[in-house]
Amino acid sequence: KMAGSSTPWIGSAYLFLQSTCKTIVLPSLYESSQKKPSVFKALKLALADSTGSVNGVDMLKVHCSHPHLIVQLKFCKQENCRRFLQSYREGVLQESLQNHLQLSLAMTTVPLEMELKAGNEHLDNMLKDEDRCLECIYREKPDRLRDEEISELEECLKSLIVHQSINNNTAVKGCVSLNSPSLPCPSQGSSISPQVTFIFQGQQFANRTLTPDDHQKFAKLVSKKWKQVGRSLQKNCRALRDPVIDNLALEYDREGLYEQAYQLLLRFIQSEGKKATIARLIAALEENGLISLAEELLGLHSNEDCS
Protein backbone atom coordinates (compact mmCIF):
# COMPACT_ATOMS: atom_id res chain seq x y z
CA LYS A 1 0.00 0.00 0.00
CA MET A 2 2.79 2.40 0.89
CA ALA A 3 6.42 1.89 -0.11
CA GLY A 4 7.47 -1.57 -1.20
CA SER A 5 10.15 -3.42 0.72
CA SER A 6 12.87 -2.40 -1.78
CA THR A 7 11.97 1.31 -1.68
CA PRO A 8 13.06 3.35 1.34
CA TRP A 9 10.15 4.74 3.38
CA ILE A 10 10.61 8.51 3.49
CA GLY A 11 8.14 11.08 4.77
CA SER A 12 8.04 14.57 6.17
CA ALA A 13 6.09 16.55 8.78
CA TYR A 14 6.20 19.87 10.58
CA LEU A 15 6.19 20.11 14.37
CA PHE A 16 4.83 23.44 15.65
CA LEU A 17 5.97 24.42 19.13
CA GLN A 18 4.76 27.29 21.27
CA SER A 19 5.31 28.12 24.92
CA THR A 20 2.15 28.82 26.90
CA CYS A 21 4.18 31.03 29.23
CA LYS A 22 4.20 34.65 28.02
CA THR A 23 7.73 35.28 29.26
CA ILE A 24 9.18 32.35 27.27
CA VAL A 25 9.23 32.98 23.51
CA LEU A 26 10.78 29.97 21.78
CA PRO A 27 11.62 31.71 18.45
CA SER A 28 13.43 34.48 20.33
CA LEU A 29 15.41 31.92 22.33
CA TYR A 30 16.37 30.10 19.12
CA GLU A 31 17.35 33.36 17.43
CA SER A 32 19.64 34.19 20.36
CA SER A 33 23.20 33.11 19.54
CA GLN A 34 23.79 32.10 23.17
CA LYS A 35 20.58 30.09 23.64
CA LYS A 36 20.37 28.44 20.20
CA PRO A 37 22.68 25.46 20.99
CA SER A 38 20.69 24.77 24.18
CA VAL A 39 17.33 24.81 22.38
CA PHE A 40 18.75 22.63 19.59
CA LYS A 41 20.15 20.13 22.10
CA ALA A 42 16.76 19.85 23.83
CA LEU A 43 15.00 19.27 20.49
CA LYS A 44 17.54 16.65 19.43
CA LEU A 45 17.36 14.73 22.72
CA ALA A 46 13.55 14.81 22.88
CA LEU A 47 13.23 13.56 19.29
CA ALA A 48 15.74 10.79 20.06
CA ASP A 49 13.63 9.84 23.10
CA SER A 50 10.51 9.69 20.94
CA THR A 51 11.92 7.18 18.44
CA GLY A 52 14.38 5.36 20.69
CA SER A 53 17.24 6.29 18.38
CA VAL A 54 19.42 9.35 17.76
CA ASN A 55 18.89 8.84 14.02
CA GLY A 56 15.21 7.93 14.19
CA VAL A 57 14.08 11.28 12.87
CA ASP A 58 16.09 13.96 11.11
CA MET A 59 15.67 17.71 11.61
CA LEU A 60 15.95 19.45 8.24
CA LYS A 61 15.34 23.02 9.37
CA VAL A 62 14.11 25.04 12.33
CA HIS A 63 11.91 27.98 11.30
CA CYS A 64 11.25 30.92 13.62
CA SER A 65 7.71 32.11 12.96
CA HIS A 66 6.56 34.05 16.03
CA PRO A 67 5.09 32.79 18.31
CA HIS A 68 5.93 29.34 16.89
CA LEU A 69 9.15 27.45 16.52
CA ILE A 70 8.55 25.13 13.55
CA VAL A 71 10.72 22.04 13.12
CA GLN A 72 10.76 20.35 9.72
CA LEU A 73 11.14 16.61 10.27
CA LYS A 74 12.22 13.82 7.94
CA PHE A 75 11.54 10.14 8.63
CA CYS A 76 13.47 7.41 6.81
CA LYS A 77 11.75 4.38 8.31
CA GLN A 78 8.09 3.65 8.88
CA GLU A 79 8.72 2.02 12.28
CA ASN A 80 10.54 5.15 13.50
CA CYS A 81 7.67 7.32 12.34
CA ARG A 82 5.19 5.02 14.09
CA ARG A 83 7.15 5.27 17.35
CA PHE A 84 7.28 9.04 17.02
CA LEU A 85 3.49 9.23 16.48
CA GLN A 86 2.83 7.07 19.54
CA SER A 87 5.14 9.21 21.65
CA TYR A 88 3.47 12.37 20.34
CA ARG A 89 -0.07 11.04 20.87
CA GLU A 90 0.61 9.88 24.44
CA GLY A 91 2.21 13.20 25.44
CA VAL A 92 5.60 11.56 26.01
CA LEU A 93 7.32 13.77 23.44
CA GLN A 94 5.82 16.90 24.96
CA GLU A 95 6.91 15.94 28.48
CA SER A 96 10.38 14.94 27.28
CA LEU A 97 10.90 18.22 25.38
CA GLN A 98 9.65 20.28 28.34
CA ASN A 99 12.16 18.49 30.60
CA HIS A 100 15.08 18.86 28.18
CA LEU A 101 14.34 22.55 27.59
CA GLN A 102 14.10 23.10 31.32
CA LEU A 103 17.53 21.49 31.86
CA SER A 104 19.24 23.02 28.82
CA LEU A 105 17.98 26.54 29.45
CA ALA A 106 18.23 26.31 33.25
CA MET A 107 14.59 27.36 33.69
CA THR A 108 12.10 26.24 36.30
CA THR A 109 9.51 25.17 33.74
CA VAL A 110 8.87 25.46 30.00
CA PRO A 111 5.18 24.67 29.35
CA LEU A 112 4.51 23.80 25.71
CA GLU A 113 1.72 23.49 23.18
CA MET A 114 2.37 21.26 20.18
CA GLU A 115 0.84 20.80 16.76
CA LEU A 116 1.75 18.33 14.03
CA LYS A 117 1.10 18.92 10.32
CA ALA A 118 1.89 17.11 7.08
CA GLY A 119 1.11 19.26 4.06
CA ASN A 120 -2.37 20.68 4.61
CA GLU A 121 -3.34 17.91 7.02
CA HIS A 122 -3.58 18.64 10.77
CA LEU A 123 -2.50 15.30 12.20
CA ASP A 124 -3.71 16.19 15.71
CA ASN A 125 -7.26 15.62 14.41
CA MET A 126 -6.51 12.03 13.35
CA LEU A 127 -3.97 10.75 15.87
CA LYS A 128 -6.11 7.75 16.77
CA ASP A 129 -5.88 6.60 13.15
CA GLU A 130 -2.15 5.90 13.09
CA ASP A 131 -2.10 4.41 9.59
CA ARG A 132 -3.81 7.48 8.17
CA CYS A 133 -1.21 9.71 9.87
CA LEU A 134 1.56 7.56 8.39
CA GLU A 135 -0.03 7.88 4.93
CA CYS A 136 -0.12 11.68 5.23
CA ILE A 137 3.53 11.86 6.37
CA TYR A 138 4.65 9.40 3.67
CA ARG A 139 2.81 11.44 1.01
CA GLU A 140 4.81 14.53 1.99
CA LYS A 141 8.33 14.13 0.66
CA PRO A 142 10.99 16.48 2.11
CA ASP A 143 11.31 19.54 -0.15
CA ARG A 144 14.78 20.47 1.02
CA LEU A 145 18.12 19.13 2.18
CA ARG A 146 19.25 19.57 5.73
CA ASP A 147 19.95 23.20 6.54
CA GLU A 148 23.66 24.00 6.89
CA GLU A 149 23.04 25.53 10.31
CA ILE A 150 21.50 22.25 11.54
CA SER A 151 24.58 20.34 10.35
CA GLU A 152 26.82 22.77 12.24
CA LEU A 153 24.77 22.43 15.44
CA GLU A 154 24.79 18.63 15.06
CA GLU A 155 28.60 18.61 14.79
CA CYS A 156 28.83 20.95 17.75
CA LEU A 157 26.65 18.67 19.88
CA LYS A 158 28.52 15.52 18.79
CA SER A 159 31.94 16.92 19.67
CA LEU A 160 30.61 18.13 23.02
CA ILE A 161 29.18 14.68 23.84
CA VAL A 162 32.44 12.95 22.82
CA HIS A 163 34.45 15.39 24.91
CA GLN A 164 32.18 14.88 27.92
CA SER A 165 32.34 11.09 27.73
CA ILE A 166 36.15 11.18 27.53
CA ASN A 167 36.25 13.45 30.55
CA ASN A 168 33.93 11.14 32.52
CA ASN A 169 30.96 13.45 32.09
CA THR A 170 32.78 16.54 33.30
CA ALA A 171 30.56 19.48 32.42
CA VAL A 172 32.01 21.44 29.52
CA LYS A 173 30.63 24.85 28.70
CA GLY A 174 30.24 25.72 25.04
CA CYS A 175 31.28 23.44 22.23
CA VAL A 176 34.67 21.77 22.33
CA SER A 177 36.22 19.84 19.47
CA LEU A 178 38.94 17.40 20.45
CA ASN A 179 41.26 18.58 17.68
CA SER A 180 40.91 22.28 18.35
CA PRO A 181 40.20 22.81 22.07
CA SER A 182 39.04 26.40 21.79
CA LEU A 183 36.77 26.09 18.75
CA PRO A 184 33.49 27.91 19.44
CA CYS A 185 29.95 26.98 18.51
CA PRO A 186 28.52 28.42 15.27
CA SER A 187 26.46 30.63 17.53
CA GLN A 188 29.52 32.29 19.02
CA GLY A 189 30.61 34.26 15.98
CA SER A 190 31.76 33.45 12.50
CA SER A 191 34.30 30.75 13.37
CA ILE A 192 32.30 27.70 12.34
CA SER A 193 33.54 24.16 12.75
CA PRO A 194 33.17 22.58 9.30
CA GLN A 195 31.58 19.14 9.38
CA VAL A 196 34.04 16.31 8.68
CA THR A 197 31.80 14.50 6.21
CA PHE A 198 28.57 15.21 4.34
CA ILE A 199 25.98 13.18 2.47
CA PHE A 200 25.26 13.57 -1.25
CA GLN A 201 22.86 11.21 -3.05
CA GLY A 202 23.06 8.75 -0.15
CA GLN A 203 26.87 8.57 -0.22
CA GLN A 204 29.24 9.96 2.38
CA PHE A 205 32.02 12.28 1.24
CA ALA A 206 34.91 13.85 3.12
CA ASN A 207 34.42 17.57 3.51
CA ARG A 208 37.43 19.54 2.33
CA THR A 209 38.44 23.05 1.46
CA LEU A 210 37.81 23.99 -2.18
CA THR A 211 40.78 23.40 -4.50
CA PRO A 212 41.96 25.36 -7.59
CA ASP A 213 40.66 22.42 -9.66
CA ASP A 214 37.17 22.79 -8.09
CA HIS A 215 37.36 26.52 -8.78
CA GLN A 216 38.12 26.07 -12.49
CA LYS A 217 35.54 23.31 -13.01
CA PHE A 218 32.86 25.41 -11.35
CA ALA A 219 33.67 28.47 -13.48
CA LYS A 220 33.73 26.40 -16.65
CA LEU A 221 30.54 24.43 -16.10
CA VAL A 222 28.11 26.52 -14.01
CA SER A 223 27.20 28.77 -16.97
CA LYS A 224 24.29 31.22 -16.52
CA LYS A 225 23.33 29.87 -13.10
CA TRP A 226 26.41 31.33 -11.37
CA LYS A 227 24.29 34.15 -9.91
CA GLN A 228 21.74 31.76 -8.39
CA VAL A 229 24.53 29.69 -6.82
CA GLY A 230 26.02 32.94 -5.51
CA ARG A 231 22.70 33.84 -3.87
CA SER A 232 22.59 30.44 -2.17
CA LEU A 233 26.14 30.91 -0.86
CA GLN A 234 25.26 34.48 0.13
CA LYS A 235 23.08 33.27 3.03
CA ASN A 236 26.16 32.36 5.08
CA CYS A 237 28.79 34.54 3.43
CA ARG A 238 28.92 38.27 4.13
CA ALA A 239 31.34 38.89 1.24
CA LEU A 240 28.60 37.93 -1.24
CA ARG A 241 25.79 40.04 0.24
CA ASP A 242 23.93 42.41 -2.09
CA PRO A 243 24.92 44.21 -4.28
CA VAL A 244 28.19 42.26 -4.69
CA ILE A 245 26.81 39.65 -7.12
CA ASP A 246 25.20 42.25 -9.41
CA ASN A 247 28.40 44.29 -9.32
CA LEU A 248 30.44 41.24 -10.38
CA ALA A 249 28.03 40.70 -13.30
CA LEU A 250 28.59 44.27 -14.52
CA GLU A 251 32.32 44.38 -13.82
CA TYR A 252 33.12 41.18 -15.72
CA ASP A 253 30.36 41.40 -18.33
CA ARG A 254 32.83 41.68 -21.23
CA GLU A 255 34.91 38.73 -20.06
CA GLY A 256 31.86 36.47 -20.09
CA LEU A 257 30.30 33.79 -17.87
CA TYR A 258 33.52 31.90 -17.02
CA GLU A 259 35.17 34.97 -15.52
CA GLN A 260 32.00 36.07 -13.69
CA ALA A 261 31.64 32.63 -12.09
CA TYR A 262 35.38 32.47 -11.36
CA GLN A 263 35.34 35.85 -9.60
CA LEU A 264 32.25 34.89 -7.58
CA LEU A 265 33.89 31.76 -6.17
CA LEU A 266 37.15 33.65 -5.65
CA ARG A 267 35.31 36.10 -3.36
CA PHE A 268 33.79 33.19 -1.46
CA ILE A 269 37.16 31.41 -1.03
CA GLN A 270 39.02 34.60 -0.04
CA SER A 271 36.45 35.62 2.56
CA GLU A 272 35.69 32.19 4.04
CA GLY A 273 39.22 30.72 4.05
CA LYS A 274 39.17 27.17 5.47
CA LYS A 275 35.39 27.39 5.79
CA ALA A 276 35.07 27.59 1.98
CA THR A 277 34.31 23.87 1.83
CA ILE A 278 33.10 21.52 -0.86
CA ALA A 279 30.01 20.68 1.27
CA ARG A 280 28.83 24.31 1.17
CA LEU A 281 29.31 24.54 -2.60
CA ILE A 282 27.57 21.20 -3.22
CA ALA A 283 24.60 22.31 -1.09
CA ALA A 284 24.34 25.52 -3.16
CA LEU A 285 24.52 23.53 -6.42
CA GLU A 286 21.84 21.10 -5.23
CA GLU A 287 19.59 23.98 -4.21
CA ASN A 288 19.74 25.21 -7.80
CA GLY A 289 19.32 21.85 -9.51
CA LEU A 290 22.94 21.64 -10.70
CA ILE A 291 23.29 17.96 -9.77
CA SER A 292 25.50 17.11 -12.74
CA LEU A 293 28.04 19.76 -11.78
CA ALA A 294 27.97 18.58 -8.15
CA GLU A 295 28.68 15.02 -9.36
CA GLU A 296 31.57 16.31 -11.47
CA LEU A 297 33.16 18.10 -8.51
CA LEU A 298 32.85 14.95 -6.39
CA GLY A 299 34.40 12.78 -9.10
CA LEU A 300 31.22 10.78 -9.75
CA HIS A 301 31.49 11.27 -13.52
CA SER A 302 34.10 8.83 -14.71
CA ASN A 303 34.45 9.60 -18.40
CA GLU A 304 31.38 11.73 -18.95
CA ASP A 305 31.29 15.43 -19.59
CA CYS A 306 29.26 17.51 -17.18
CA SER A 307 26.31 18.93 -19.05
Side-chain angles (χ1 to χ4, degrees):
K1 190 166 131 187
M2 283 187 264
S5 55
S6 58
T7 319
W9 194 98
I10 293 175
S12 180
Y14 287 89
L15 182 63
F16 287 71
L17 304 168
Q18 181 182 354
S19 169
T20 52
C21 174
K22 285 182 182 176
T23 57
I24 300 170
V25 185
L26 290 178
S28 300
L29 289 171
Y30 194 78
E31 283 166 343
S32 151
S33 58
Q34 291 167 315
K35 303 285 187 189
K36 182 175 287 188
S38 301
V39 178
F40 178 80
K41 181 184 175 185
L43 286 168
K44 185 78 183 163
L45 293 173
L47 288 169
D49 289 347
S50 74
T51 58
S53 161
V54 177
N55 304 314
V57 54
D58 198 12
M59 277 190 272
L60 297 183
K61 186 171 175 65
V62 178
H63 306 264
C64 293
S65 177
H66 291 262
H68 291 103
L69 198 65
I70 307 168
V71 188
Q72 188 173 0
L73 303 172
K74 176 186 174 185
F75 298 93
C76 289
K77 286 184 179 175
Q78 188 179 331
E79 57 266 35
N80 287 336
C81 190
R82 200 179 281 279
R83 279 195 210 107
F84 170 85
L85 284 168
Q86 287 166 354
S87 172
Y88 180 85
R89 186 179 65 234
E90 290 161 10
V92 177
L93 175 64
Q94 184 171 345
E95 193 178 334
S96 172
L97 184 53
Q98 285 176 171
N99 290 340
H100 284 304
L101 282 168
Q102 198 176 321
L103 288 168
S104 290
L105 296 165
M107 291 182 170
T108 48
T109 177
V110 185
L112 291 177
E113 267 181 7
M114 290 180 150
E115 232 183 314
L116 191 62
K117 293 181 185 177
N120 297 321
E121 300 285 354
H122 289 254
L123 302 185
D124 297 73
N125 301 332
M126 56 175 93
L127 287 172
K128 287 179 181 173
D129 191 345
E130 203 171 273
D131 286 338
R132 192 176 159 208
C133 288
L134 285 166
E135 284 281 3
C136 292
I137 292 170
Y138 176 67
R139 223 173 22 236
E140 290 300 313
K141 298 301 176 207
D143 60 353
R144 59 163 22 254
L145 295 160
R146 185 155 67 163
D147 200 60
E148 193 179 78
E149 181 183 62
I150 297 285
S151 299
E152 288 161 10
L153 288 162
E154 288 260 1
E155 287 304 313
C156 191
L157 189 59
K158 272 185 209 164
S159 54
L160 177 62
I161 289 165
V162 169
H163 193 87
Q164 284 181 332
S165 63
I166 285 172
N167 286 301
N168 297 321
N169 297 321
T170 308
V172 180
K173 287 189 178 179
C175 169
V176 185
S177 161
L178 301 177
N179 301 327
S180 29
S182 60
L183 206 64
C185 277
S187 59
Q188 296 174 323
S190 62
S191 182
I192 294 165
S193 161
Q195 67 256 49
V196 182
T197 59
F198 67 103
I199 304 292
F200 174 75
Q201 293 185 341
Q203 291 184 57
Q204 199 164 26
F205 293 89
N207 196 11
R208 54 176 173 79
T209 307
L210 292 170
T211 65
D213 187 45
D214 296 328
H215 197 165
Q216 285 173 351
K217 278 183 183 174
F218 171 82
K220 182 183 167 189
L221 300 166
V222 71
S223 192
K224 291 177 184 175
K225 283 200 169 181
W226 70 270
K227 272 187 170 185
Q228 280 129 288
V229 175
R231 294 213 161 89
S232 294
L233 291 171
Q234 182 188 71
K235 295 169 195 168
N236 294 299
C237 176
R238 285 181 187 165
L240 295 179
R241 297 274 155 88
D242 292 327
V244 172
I245 294 170
D246 290 334
N247 288 349
L248 285 173
L250 290 169
E251 200 176 336
Y252 296 96
D253 185 43
R254 286 187 179 181
E255 284 87 345
L257 293 170
Y258 176 94
E259 194 59 27
Q260 289 169 329
Y262 189 90
Q263 292 296 330
L264 171 89
L265 205 58
L266 183 63
R267 295 285 172 99
F268 177 69
I269 290 166
Q270 285 174 339
S271 75
E272 297 297 292
K274 287 181 180 177
K275 293 183 286 165
T277 61
I278 189 73
R280 290 175 73 181
L281 182 57
I282 295 297
L285 293 173
E286 281 194 295
E287 198 171 296
N288 293 286
L290 294 163
I291 303 302
S292 192
L293 174 48
E295 289 171 345
E296 180 75 12
L297 291 175
L298 294 171
L300 295 175
H301 285 178
S302 45
N303 299 312
E304 301 171 323
D305 284 325
C306 185
S307 53

PDB file of all heavy atoms in Angstrom, residues 13 17 47 66 77 94 103 109 124 143 148 150 180 214 249 260 293:
ATOM      1  N   ALA A  13       7.135  15.886   7.989  1.00  0.00           N
ATOM      2  CA  ALA A  13       6.090  16.545   8.775  1.00  0.00           C
ATOM      3  C   ALA A  13       6.673  17.790   9.429  1.00  0.00           C
ATOM      4  O   ALA A  13       7.899  17.959   9.497  1.00  0.00           O
ATOM      5  CB  ALA A  13       5.545  15.600   9.837  1.00  0.00           C
ATOM      6  N   LEU A  17       5.781  24.322  17.682  1.00  0.00           N
ATOM      7  CA  LEU A  17       5.974  24.422  19.132  1.00  0.00           C
ATOM      8  C   LEU A  17       5.732  25.842  19.601  1.00  0.00           C
ATOM      9  O   LEU A  17       6.181  26.801  18.966  1.00  0.00           O
ATOM     10  CB  LEU A  17       7.413  24.032  19.505  1.00  0.00           C
ATOM     11  CG  LEU A  17       7.889  22.661  19.043  1.00  0.00           C
ATOM     12  CD1 LEU A  17       9.383  22.532  19.215  1.00  0.00           C
ATOM     13  CD2 LEU A  17       7.173  21.556  19.813  1.00  0.00           C
ATOM     14  N   LEU A  47      13.577  14.337  20.494  1.00  0.00           N
ATOM     15  CA  LEU A  47      13.225  13.558  19.292  1.00  0.00           C
ATOM     16  C   LEU A  47      13.864  12.168  19.350  1.00  0.00           C
ATOM     17  O   LEU A  47      13.262  11.186  18.929  1.00  0.00           O
ATOM     18  CB  LEU A  47      13.664  14.303  18.030  1.00  0.00           C
ATOM     19  CG  LEU A  47      12.839  15.554  17.688  1.00  0.00           C
ATOM     20  CD1 LEU A  47      13.499  16.368  16.591  1.00  0.00           C
ATOM     21  CD2 LEU A  47      11.412  15.170  17.271  1.00  0.00           C
ATOM     22  N   HIS A  66       7.168  33.634  14.756  1.00  0.00           N
ATOM     23  CA  HIS A  66       6.556  34.046  16.033  1.00  0.00           C
ATOM     24  C   HIS A  66       5.043  33.869  16.015  1.00  0.00           C
ATOM     25  O   HIS A  66       4.399  34.248  15.054  1.00  0.00           O
ATOM     26  CB  HIS A  66       6.908  35.510  16.319  1.00  0.00           C
ATOM     27  CG  HIS A  66       8.365  35.698  16.638  1.00  0.00           C
ATOM     28  ND1 HIS A  66       8.850  35.796  17.918  1.00  0.00           N
ATOM     29  CD2 HIS A  66       9.463  35.763  15.840  1.00  0.00           C
ATOM     30  CE1 HIS A  66      10.170  35.938  17.892  1.00  0.00           C
ATOM     31  NE2 HIS A  66      10.564  35.919  16.637  1.00  0.00           N
ATOM     32  N   LYS A  77      12.271   5.725   8.084  1.00  0.00           N
ATOM     33  CA  LYS A  77      11.750   4.376   8.315  1.00  0.00           C
ATOM     34  C   LYS A  77      10.351   4.483   8.898  1.00  0.00           C
ATOM     35  O   LYS A  77      10.106   5.310   9.770  1.00  0.00           O
ATOM     36  CB  LYS A  77      12.647   3.605   9.290  1.00  0.00           C
ATOM     37  CG  LYS A  77      13.964   3.141   8.687  1.00  0.00           C
ATOM     38  CD  LYS A  77      14.726   2.303   9.691  1.00  0.00           C
ATOM     39  CE  LYS A  77      16.036   1.795   9.107  1.00  0.00           C
ATOM     40  NZ  LYS A  77      16.826   1.081  10.124  1.00  0.00           N
ATOM     41  N   GLN A  94       6.018  15.580  24.353  1.00  0.00           N
ATOM     42  CA  GLN A  94       5.820  16.901  24.961  1.00  0.00           C
ATOM     43  C   GLN A  94       6.525  16.986  26.320  1.00  0.00           C
ATOM     44  O   GLN A  94       7.254  17.942  26.601  1.00  0.00           O
ATOM     45  CB  GLN A  94       4.327  17.174  25.121  1.00  0.00           C
ATOM     46  CG  GLN A  94       4.041  18.570  25.653  1.00  0.00           C
ATOM     47  CD  GLN A  94       2.554  18.892  25.601  1.00  0.00           C
ATOM     48  OE1 GLN A  94       1.779  18.222  24.931  1.00  0.00           O
ATOM     49  NE2 GLN A  94       2.149  19.920  26.296  1.00  0.00           N
ATOM     50  N   LEU A 103      16.135  21.771  31.481  1.00  0.00           N
ATOM     51  CA  LEU A 103      17.526  21.494  31.863  1.00  0.00           C
ATOM     52  C   LEU A 103      18.512  22.315  31.037  1.00  0.00           C
ATOM     53  O   LEU A 103      19.434  22.931  31.562  1.00  0.00           O
ATOM     54  CB  LEU A 103      17.837  20.003  31.689  1.00  0.00           C
ATOM     55  CG  LEU A 103      17.205  19.050  32.702  1.00  0.00           C
ATOM     56  CD1 LEU A 103      17.345  17.607  32.248  1.00  0.00           C
ATOM     57  CD2 LEU A 103      17.852  19.227  34.070  1.00  0.00           C
ATOM     58  N   THR A 109      10.469  25.942  34.532  1.00  0.00           N
ATOM     59  CA  THR A 109       9.508  25.167  33.742  1.00  0.00           C
ATOM     60  C   THR A 109       9.331  25.804  32.365  1.00  0.00           C
ATOM     61  O   THR A 109       9.429  27.016  32.231  1.00  0.00           O
ATOM     62  CB  THR A 109       8.144  25.081  34.467  1.00  0.00           C
ATOM     63  OG1 THR A 109       7.228  24.370  33.635  1.00  0.00           O
ATOM     64  CG2 THR A 109       7.572  26.449  34.778  1.00  0.00           C
ATOM     65  N   ASP A 124      -3.133  16.260  14.350  1.00  0.00           N
ATOM     66  CA  ASP A 124      -3.710  16.193  15.709  1.00  0.00           C
ATOM     67  C   ASP A 124      -5.173  15.734  15.669  1.00  0.00           C
ATOM     68  O   ASP A 124      -5.670  15.164  16.621  1.00  0.00           O
ATOM     69  CB  ASP A 124      -3.627  17.568  16.378  1.00  0.00           C
ATOM     70  CG  ASP A 124      -2.188  18.021  16.559  1.00  0.00           C
ATOM     71  OD1 ASP A 124      -1.560  18.388  15.550  1.00  0.00           O
ATOM     72  OD2 ASP A 124      -1.686  17.972  17.681  1.00  0.00           O
ATOM     73  N   ASP A 143      11.091  18.641   0.993  1.00  0.00           N
ATOM     74  CA  ASP A 143      11.308  19.536  -0.153  1.00  0.00           C
ATOM     75  C   ASP A 143      12.665  20.226  -0.084  1.00  0.00           C
ATOM     76  O   ASP A 143      12.961  21.118  -0.850  1.00  0.00           O
ATOM     77  CB  ASP A 143      10.195  20.590  -0.216  1.00  0.00           C
ATOM     78  CG  ASP A 143      10.140  21.446   1.046  1.00  0.00           C
ATOM     79  OD1 ASP A 143      10.876  21.131   2.007  1.00  0.00           O
ATOM     80  OD2 ASP A 143       9.378  22.430   1.072  1.00  0.00           O
ATOM     81  N   GLU A 148      22.240  23.991   6.485  1.00  0.00           N
ATOM     82  CA  GLU A 148      23.656  24.000   6.894  1.00  0.00           C
ATOM     83  C   GLU A 148      23.807  24.287   8.391  1.00  0.00           C
ATOM     84  O   GLU A 148      24.648  23.702   9.069  1.00  0.00           O
ATOM     85  CB  GLU A 148      24.409  25.062   6.089  1.00  0.00           C
ATOM     86  CG  GLU A 148      25.910  24.943   6.218  1.00  0.00           C
ATOM     87  CD  GLU A 148      26.637  25.981   5.389  1.00  0.00           C
ATOM     88  OE1 GLU A 148      26.703  27.128   5.834  1.00  0.00           O
ATOM     89  OE2 GLU A 148      27.134  25.637   4.307  1.00  0.00           O
ATOM     90  N   ILE A 150      21.816  23.462  10.775  1.00  0.00           N
ATOM     91  CA  ILE A 150      21.496  22.249  11.540  1.00  0.00           C
ATOM     92  C   ILE A 150      22.716  21.329  11.571  1.00  0.00           C
ATOM     93  O   ILE A 150      23.060  20.765  12.611  1.00  0.00           O
ATOM     94  CB  ILE A 150      20.278  21.513  10.918  1.00  0.00           C
ATOM     95  CG1 ILE A 150      19.021  22.385  10.975  1.00  0.00           C
ATOM     96  CG2 ILE A 150      20.041  20.167  11.602  1.00  0.00           C
ATOM     97  CD1 ILE A 150      18.373  22.519  12.320  1.00  0.00           C
ATOM     98  N   SER A 180      40.622  20.868  18.097  1.00  0.00           N
ATOM     99  CA  SER A 180      40.909  22.284  18.350  1.00  0.00           C
ATOM    100  C   SER A 180      40.169  22.700  19.611  1.00  0.00           C
ATOM    101  O   SER A 180      38.987  23.011  19.560  1.00  0.00           O
ATOM    102  CB  SER A 180      40.488  23.131  17.165  1.00  0.00           C
ATOM    103  OG  SER A 180      39.417  22.556  16.489  1.00  0.00           O
ATOM    104  N   ASP A 214      38.614  22.554  -8.312  1.00  0.00           N
ATOM    105  CA  ASP A 214      37.172  22.788  -8.087  1.00  0.00           C
ATOM    106  C   ASP A 214      36.778  24.146  -8.663  1.00  0.00           C
ATOM    107  O   ASP A 214      35.735  24.296  -9.317  1.00  0.00           O
ATOM    108  CB  ASP A 214      36.841  22.822  -6.584  1.00  0.00           C
ATOM    109  CG  ASP A 214      37.100  21.515  -5.872  1.00  0.00           C
ATOM    110  OD1 ASP A 214      36.947  20.464  -6.503  1.00  0.00           O
ATOM    111  OD2 ASP A 214      37.458  21.556  -4.686  1.00  0.00           O
ATOM    112  N   ALA A 249      28.617  40.911 -11.963  1.00  0.00           N
ATOM    113  CA  ALA A 249      28.027  40.698 -13.296  1.00  0.00           C
ATOM    114  C   ALA A 249      28.376  41.859 -14.229  1.00  0.00           C
ATOM    115  O   ALA A 249      28.737  41.659 -15.394  1.00  0.00           O
ATOM    116  CB  ALA A 249      26.515  40.540 -13.178  1.00  0.00           C
ATOM    117  N   GLN A 260      32.965  35.656 -14.722  1.00  0.00           N
ATOM    118  CA  GLN A 260      32.000  36.075 -13.691  1.00  0.00           C
ATOM    119  C   GLN A 260      31.885  35.003 -12.603  1.00  0.00           C
ATOM    120  O   GLN A 260      31.928  35.299 -11.402  1.00  0.00           O
ATOM    121  CB  GLN A 260      30.628  36.330 -14.337  1.00  0.00           C
ATOM    122  CG  GLN A 260      30.604  37.590 -15.195  1.00  0.00           C
ATOM    123  CD  GLN A 260      29.332  37.681 -16.027  1.00  0.00           C
ATOM    124  OE1 GLN A 260      28.758  36.685 -16.439  1.00  0.00           O
ATOM    125  NE2 GLN A 260      28.894  38.899 -16.303  1.00  0.00           N
ATOM    126  N   LEU A 293      26.816  19.047 -12.152  1.00  0.00           N
ATOM    127  CA  LEU A 293      28.039  19.763 -11.775  1.00  0.00           C
ATOM    128  C   LEU A 293      28.540  19.294 -10.400  1.00  0.00           C
ATOM    129  O   LEU A 293      29.742  19.112 -10.190  1.00  0.00           O
ATOM    130  CB  LEU A 293      27.790  21.278 -11.793  1.00  0.00           C
ATOM    131  CG  LEU A 293      28.908  22.201 -11.296  1.00  0.00           C
ATOM    132  CD1 LEU A 293      30.252  21.862 -11.894  1.00  0.00           C
ATOM    133  CD2 LEU A 293      28.568  23.661 -11.587  1.00  0.00           C
TER     134      LEU A 293
END
